[in-house]
């Protein structure tokens, strides 16, 4: 179980995204994806899964996940990846 306490440091490694997406779309997010240890590769997988789900409007490249900061305008749109 992953716990998210804030929408910057807790989500920038992509683990929370994949965990949530695996619950919403287990037919797309595989166990191998959940086991990926490399944050960049994990971010690429998130983008791929989001594209398959048709929900990659705001987060379109791995850097959108990996480089989010408190000042980033994307910190407010991270959840929109799931919508």
């Amino acid at each position: 179980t992953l716990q998210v306490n804030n929408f910057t440091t807790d989500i920038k490694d992509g683990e929370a995204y994949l965990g949530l997406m695996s619950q919403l779309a287990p037919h797309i997010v595989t166990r191998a994806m959940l086991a990926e240890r490399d944050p960049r590769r994990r971010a690429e997988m998130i983008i791929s899964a989001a594209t398959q789900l048709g929900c990659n409007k705001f987060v379109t490249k791995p850097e959108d996940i990996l480089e989010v900061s408190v000042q980033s305008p994307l910190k407010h749109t991270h959840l929109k990846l799931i919508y």
Side-chain angles (χ1 to χ4, degrees):
T1 302
L2 291 170
Q3 184 172 350
V4 175
N5 294 312
N6 66 63
F7 289 100
T8 52
T9 56
D10 287 351
I11 61 171
K12 68 191 281 181
D13 67 2
E15 285 186 70
Y17 279 136
L18 278 179
L20 178 59
M21 292 175 87
S22 73
Q23 295 298 308
L24 298 172
H27 59 288
I28 293 176
V29 179
T30 65
R31 289 185 188 267
M33 293 167 78
L34 293 170
E36 178 59 53
R37 302 304 313 151
D38 179 53
R40 178 160 192 84
R41 181 69 188 123
R42 205 170 25 238
E44 291 168 353
M45 292 175 178
I46 292 166
I47 301 302
S48 175
T51 300
Q52 290 178 56
L53 292 168
C55 60
N56 64 331
K57 182 176 179 180
F58 295 99
V59 181
T60 60
K61 57 189 184 299
E63 292 77 19
D64 292 340
I65 296 167
L66 300 172
E67 296 175 7
V68 70
S69 70
V70 175
Q71 293 80 25
S72 172
L74 282 176
K75 75 176 185 162
H76 299 292
T77 59
H78 266 258
L79 289 179
K80 292 187 179 183
L81 170 80
I82 304 303
Y83 296 127

